[in-house]
Amino acid sequence: MSTSPELDEVIGFLRGHAPFDRLTPEQLDRAARRIEILYRRKGEILLSIGQANTALAVIRRGAVEVHDGSGRLINRLAEGESYGLPSLLTGKPVRNRVSLIEDGLIYLLPVAEFNALRAANPAFEQHFVSTLEERMRAAAEAGGGNALMATPVSRLGSRTPVMVGPEASIREAAQLMSQKGVSSILIGDSEHMLGIVTDRDLRNRVLAAGLDPAEPVTRIMSTDPTHLDADRPVFEAFLVMANRGIHHLPLTREGKPVGMITTRDLVSLQTQHPLYLVRQVAKQESVEGLQEVTGRMPRMFALMLANGARPEDVMRMLTALTDAVTRQLLRIAEDTLGPPPMPYAWLAFGSQARNEQGPHTDQDNGLLLAHTPDEAGADYFENLAKFVCAGLDACGYVFCNGEVMAQNPRWRQPLDVWQGYFRSWMHEPDPKALLHASIFFDQRCVHGDRRLFDALQDTLFDASPRHGIFLAVLARHALTHEVPLGLFRRFVVEHRGEHRDTLDMKKAGSLPLNDLLRVRALAAGLREPGSLARIEGLRRLGKMVDSDAAELAAAFRLLSRLKLEHQAAQLAAGEKTDNRINPSQLTRTDRDALRDAFLVIRQAQAGLSNAFGVQ
């Protein structure tokens, strides 16, 4: 077959670069003849997010950058390298933007020819599989945004496989699929998997072919379906499904079918990641859009726990989502109402301030203004606060029963009024002041003018160590929380009613711990509101010995973990979450650890009693 100088140049270039160097001369010649040559200028977009990818792109000259949807640089590629591989292998729309950073010449091999070469040449095929695997493994090991890729695929909540015996008809199999709401069915029994039938098989092998639905289902099944051990990581599921071009993957243990995962499950995984959700929040322009994003929070919460995330990280990510929603609501409000007439700061109190939120929480917030507003200014901030509080409520952060919200005029005040509040609470620590202390002294600026917040903190934390009487009253109040351990270390549980045999983990553990840490932090002038940050701060200042700090941190983590796991189980069961656990339903190890945690808190309370001379 004749060649031209241009074709010789293409063949020569490809022959010098993997994996084309693994092709036979005939395969290389055929590939070169089908290549389209593309010349583009610096700055031009070669692939856009969402478009279909129809060709393997090999950079002949120049360089490209790959950016994700948020503009983050993913990769830089140069001569001899390929881009757009994931979309080409999976058949999915392009997920990253590819643009030239210098004038470039690109070779485009049509996808049909690319797939023909993959099928005909195992070495050529293996190169692309290895390349994709390397990228995905790196992503899985990178942690942060991609840590869930290392999650065992069985933890994705894969559904129990729907199965039917080989004697069933096609109609019976289809009826069972419809009844169960699934798009595939396994043929066999719990011990042996003979084949799989998907909704596509029903369309192509039955309806399109005019096959009688009374025929045995075995006539249309794909025999010996590809499967994956249920304990393998998620990225392997991606690879298997991409390489085999399948959308349903049975999961097995010791060869027995135990689950089913679909491409939709895997795509859904990416959209449940906390960082993805936070980024999505920033793109929403309406309360309805924010509701849609926060509706995915329970799934994110379950995935993080299933992935072995530390309880403090789970709570921090849940709080980060709340913060993001709050900021976006404020931006929407400002776009609607116009620029604010003065600097302000949106404050979070309580668990949000401590970065310790669970999957279900109410609002505790306030508005700090630079100075007393005029009538128009007061209207502006009233409208802004009402919009944000209502938006948070619509997104699942329900209104505070105690009205501790910025929409309450009392908690929408200028700096001097807020400073006056805290001074009066410290000078006159009556029962109401104690109640306020448990909420307002855990504070954090979520949005707005940081200098205003710093000025408020200066007033509070510079003064608090000098208010001995106030601290003593707070300490005495912290000691009123009784740790639920009786004689012989037995748990003191509810004895009657709907909560019989349960412990309120918030009342029994979190509340006493938060209160005693708050007192000690105020006495030390520590501004960090988080429990672990306070423990570390006290240890660093020499206000708490290392062993006590380690024990309190361990107690905090245990209480948080048990509470979060309990709430995750409730969400999985479709129940409303609460803080009540039944100790008898814990493992022996967790029961013993919980007793130890309560003892640690009791000892810390004794230390607080001695330090402040109160009982």
Side-chain angles (χ1 to χ4, degrees):
M1 187 177 291
S2 63
T3 61
S4 64
E6 293 79 10
L7 183 61
D8 287 342
E9 182 181 337
V10 174
I11 292 174
F13 176 80
L14 293 179
R15 187 185 293 119
H17 292 84
F20 294 94
D21 58 347
R22 302 170 191 180
L23 297 178
T24 65
E26 293 76 18
Q27 290 170 334
L28 186 60
D29 182 82
R30 193 178 76 175
R33 290 178 184 277
R34 285 165 174 73
I35 274 181
E36 176 189 354
I37 300 175
L38 192 70
Y39 176 76
R40 289 290 183 268
R41 307 289 294 186
K42 173 184 176 181
E44 288 195 46
I45 306 296
L46 298 173
L47 281 179
S48 298
I49 295 174
Q51 78 170 79
N53 190 7
T54 59
L56 173 69
V58 182
I59 303 171
R60 172 64 180 88
R61 188 169 62 247
V64 305
E65 284 188 344
V66 184
H67 293 84
D68 66 13
S70 62
R72 185 169 61 99
L73 178 63
I74 301 296
N75 206 352
R76 284 195 178 91
L77 302 168
E79 185 175 299
E81 296 184 286
S82 303
Y83 59 80
L85 196 55
S87 56
L88 200 64
L89 291 176
T90 62
K92 300 290 183 183
V94 173
R95 298 187 59 184
N96 297 313
R97 186 182 70 254
V98 180
S99 58
L100 278 164
I101 55 176
E102 54 187 69
D103 292 352
L105 195 64
I106 310 296
Y107 288 169
L108 295 178
L109 181 65
V111 64
E113 185 64 27
F114 172 62
N115 288 334
L117 288 173
R118 290 172 58 201
N121 190 312
F124 183 83
E125 157 78 353
Q126 186 56 43
H127 169 84
F128 290 104
V129 170
S130 299
T131 300
L132 184 58
E133 182 173 1
E134 183 179 333
R135 292 180 186 178
M136 299 191 79
R137 188 182 298 279
E141 293 172 350
N146 294 301
L148 290 177
M149 294 295 284
T151 302
V153 68
S154 60
R155 295 184 182 176
L156 294 187
S158 65
R159 60 187 63 86
T160 302
V162 177
M163 303 195 72
V164 70
E167 70 284 356
S169 67
I170 295 171
R171 178 179 292 108
E172 289 170 331
Q175 288 173 339
L176 187 56
M177 289 171 66
S178 176
Q179 178 186 344
K180 298 292 184 180
V182 297
S183 55
S184 66
I185 191 167
L186 294 180
I187 315 305
D189 56 36
S190 60
E191 296 291 320
H192 303 287
M193 181 171 53
L194 302 175
I196 185 172
V197 169
T198 69
D199 50 3
R200 179 177 295 182
D201 295 327
L202 293 175
R203 289 196 303 272
N204 296 339
R205 298 177 181 176
V206 181
L207 294 178
L211 188 64
D212 185 352
E215 291 289 320
V217 70
T218 51
R219 281 201 60 182
I220 63 167
M221 73 179 185
S222 299
T223 58
D224 191 22
T226 300
H227 55 90
L228 183 71
D229 187 280
D231 294 324
R232 301 304 302 165
V234 167
F235 74 84
E236 279 199 25
F238 267 111
L239 284 175
V240 170
M241 297 172 82
N243 293 336
R244 302 298 179 95
I246 57 177
H247 301 285
H248 302 82
L249 181 63
L251 304 180
T252 58
R253 279 198 176 89
E254 298 178 351
K256 301 175 183 176
V258 296
M260 177 69 75
I261 203 85
T262 69
T263 49
R264 178 174 295 183
D265 296 324
L266 298 182
V267 171
S268 174
L269 170 68
Q270 188 70 14
T271 63
Q272 309 304 328
H273 193 280
L275 296 183
Y276 177 89
L277 291 187
V278 169
R279 286 198 294 268
Q280 288 301 304
V281 165
K283 297 177 181 177
Q284 305 308 312
E285 298 298 334
S286 68
V287 173
E288 290 75 18
L290 291 170
Q291 281 180 298
E292 193 279 326
V293 176
T294 53
R296 304 181 215 166
M297 183 273 288
R299 179 73 173 137
M300 174 195 88
F301 169 62
L303 281 172
M304 289 191 72
L305 280 180
N307 196 42
R310 298 183 303 175
E312 61 264 39
D313 292 335
V314 174
M315 294 187 293
R316 189 177 296 116
M317 289 311 305
L318 290 173
T319 308
L321 186 61
T322 311
D323 289 355
V325 172
T326 305
R327 293 190 190 101
Q328 194 61 15
L329 285 167
L330 285 164
R331 291 190 185 100
I332 295 172
E334 289 184 7
D335 287 345
T336 304
L337 300 172
M342 69 178 75
Y344 75 91
W346 186 274
L347 307 182
F349 304 114
S351 61
Q352 185 181 358
R354 297 194 303 272
N355 285 299
E356 293 171 4
Q357 286 191 308
H360 180 76
T361 184
D362 62 355
Q363 300 179 41
D364 286 315
N365 51 53
L367 204 52
L368 172 61
L369 308 178
H371 53 78
T372 302
D374 57 20
E375 184 175 349
D379 289 343
Y380 177 95
F381 286 113
E382 179 181 0
N383 291 329
L384 179 140
K386 287 183 174 178
F387 175 83
V388 174
C389 291
L392 286 169
D393 182 71
C395 291
Y397 307 101
V398 297
F399 288 131
C400 171
N401 288 333
E403 287 290 319
V404 179
M405 293 177 288
Q407 68 179 18
N408 181 345
R410 189 177 182 197
W411 311 124
R412 189 174 67 245
Q413 294 290 343
L415 174 61
D416 59 341
V417 174
W418 276 106
Q419 290 171 325
Y421 286 163
F422 284 100
R423 289 194 189 99
S424 68
W425 295 334
M426 287 189 284
H427 282 292
E428 301 175 15
D430 56 20
K432 188 173 291 185
L434 294 177
L435 174 63
H436 291 153
S438 66
I439 302 173
F440 295 100
F441 284 69
D442 296 350
Q443 57 185 240
R444 185 164 57 82
C445 178
V446 173
H447 178 80
D449 194 321
R450 178 76 196 191
R451 291 168 300 180
L452 280 174
F453 179 66
D454 289 341
L456 180 64
Q457 291 239 301
D458 289 344
T459 301
L460 170 58
F461 290 98
D462 288 349
S464 61
R466 300 194 299 271
H467 285 75
I469 295 177
F470 169 67
L471 294 174
V473 172
L474 276 188
R476 186 180 296 115
H477 177 71
L479 299 178
T480 60
H481 304 300
E482 292 191 16
V483 172
L485 277 184
L487 291 175
F488 309 110
R489 291 167 38 111
R490 299 183 64 176
F491 293 112
V492 178
V493 297
E494 294 284 344
H495 293 296
R496 58 178 64 88
E498 61 176 322
H499 301 308
R500 180 173 178 166
D501 297 330
T502 66
L503 281 174
D504 185 331
M505 293 292 285
K506 180 177 179 180
K507 186 177 177 182
S510 302
L511 199 57
L513 189 55
N514 289 337
D515 279 3
L516 72 89
L517 287 174
R518 185 180 305 108
V519 179
R520 303 201 67 157
L522 287 171
L526 281 175
R527 302 190 179 197
E528 285 289 341
S531 298
L532 290 177
R534 282 172 168 167
I535 292 170
E536 173 56 23
L538 292 167
R539 188 200 65 78
R540 192 175 59 249
L541 292 174
K543 305 291 185 181
M544 185 178 288
V545 299
D546 290 354
S547 57
D548 288 350
E551 288 179 351
L552 275 176
F556 171 81
R557 290 192 173 99
L558 179 78
L559 295 170
S560 301
R561 177 175 66 80
L562 294 179
K563 188 168 61 178
L564 292 173
E565 288 177 350
H566 167 69
Q567 293 169 340
Q570 289 180 310
L571 286 174
E575 300 171 357
K576 185 178 178 182
T577 59
D578 60 31
N579 298 309
R580 292 193 164 276
I581 67 167
N582 185 333
S584 67
Q585 295 177 355
L586 298 176
T587 65
R588 175 66 181 270
T589 300
D590 280 344
R591 276 200 305 274
D592 291 343
L594 184 58
R595 289 190 179 93
D596 291 342
F598 285 151
L599 287 176
V600 166
I601 295 173
R602 183 179 282 172
Q603 291 165 3
Q605 287 178 323
L608 189 72
S609 173
N610 293 333
F612 289 89
V614 296
Q615 298 295 320

